[in-house]
Amino acid sequence: MDENTFLLEQDSRRAFERTAVDVPVMLIATSRGTTTFHEARTADLSEGGIGLVTSAPLVPHQPISVEIVIPLANQLLKLNAVVKHQRAGEAKGGDYYGLEFFAATEAQRKQIKRMAYDC
């Protein structure tokens, strides 16, 4: 199977359409009673999750908070997510991670859709 066929099949399994978005985000991780903050950049965004690049040491199934400043509205959007997968060394500036949002409100989903459309 060539790369294009793989990508098409992967996209057809997604519940939400992804849009390429490049904005800074802050990741907040808590592990063993310690909270850490890490910078990241988005690679893509959908109502259901986010792809991002960071040098932070994230691991699959790790819960994490994501803070995004919506560029045109200058509003802070805070979302809870879980790390679904990691692709090491695929991007300049760190590893690529796929995060799935959970417990997002309808208002948050609308903000994400608007942000993906505007950026």
Side-chain angles (χ1 to χ4, degrees):
M1 174 183 320
D2 69 2
E3 182 178 344
N4 288 334
T5 303
F6 174 77
L7 291 175
L8 286 173
E9 287 180 6
Q10 187 177 27
D11 285 344
S12 68
R13 292 185 304 225
R14 298 193 190 285
F16 300 101
E17 181 181 338
R18 290 188 179 203
T19 303
V21 174
D22 180 18
V23 295
V25 297
M26 182 63 64
L27 305 175
I28 304 166
T30 302
S31 178
R32 299 182 187 144
T34 302
T35 301
T36 56
F37 298 85
H38 305 279
E39 294 179 352
R41 290 208 68 91
T42 60
D44 52 67
L45 181 66
S46 78
E47 288 180 67
I50 187 170
L52 52 84
V53 176
T54 183
S55 58
L58 306 179
V59 294
H61 311 294
Q62 176 181 6
I64 194 158
S65 294
V66 180
E67 293 185 351
I68 307 169
V69 175
I70 301 172
L72 298 177
N74 201 27
Q75 291 180 311
L76 181 64
L77 179 59
K78 291 182 171 185
L79 297 155
N80 294 315
V82 64
V83 177
K84 296 301 278 186
H85 63 85
Q86 171 189 11
R87 291 194 308 251
E90 286 208 8
K92 182 180 176 185
D95 294 341
Y96 175 91
Y97 292 91
L99 281 63
E100 181 179 0
F101 299 135
F102 64 87
T105 66
E106 186 60 33
Q108 288 172 320
R109 288 184 187 276
K110 285 181 181 179
Q111 286 180 302
I112 294 166
K113 263 179 99 167
R114 194 173 316 121
M115 182 176 156
Y117 178 79
D118 290 343
C119 287

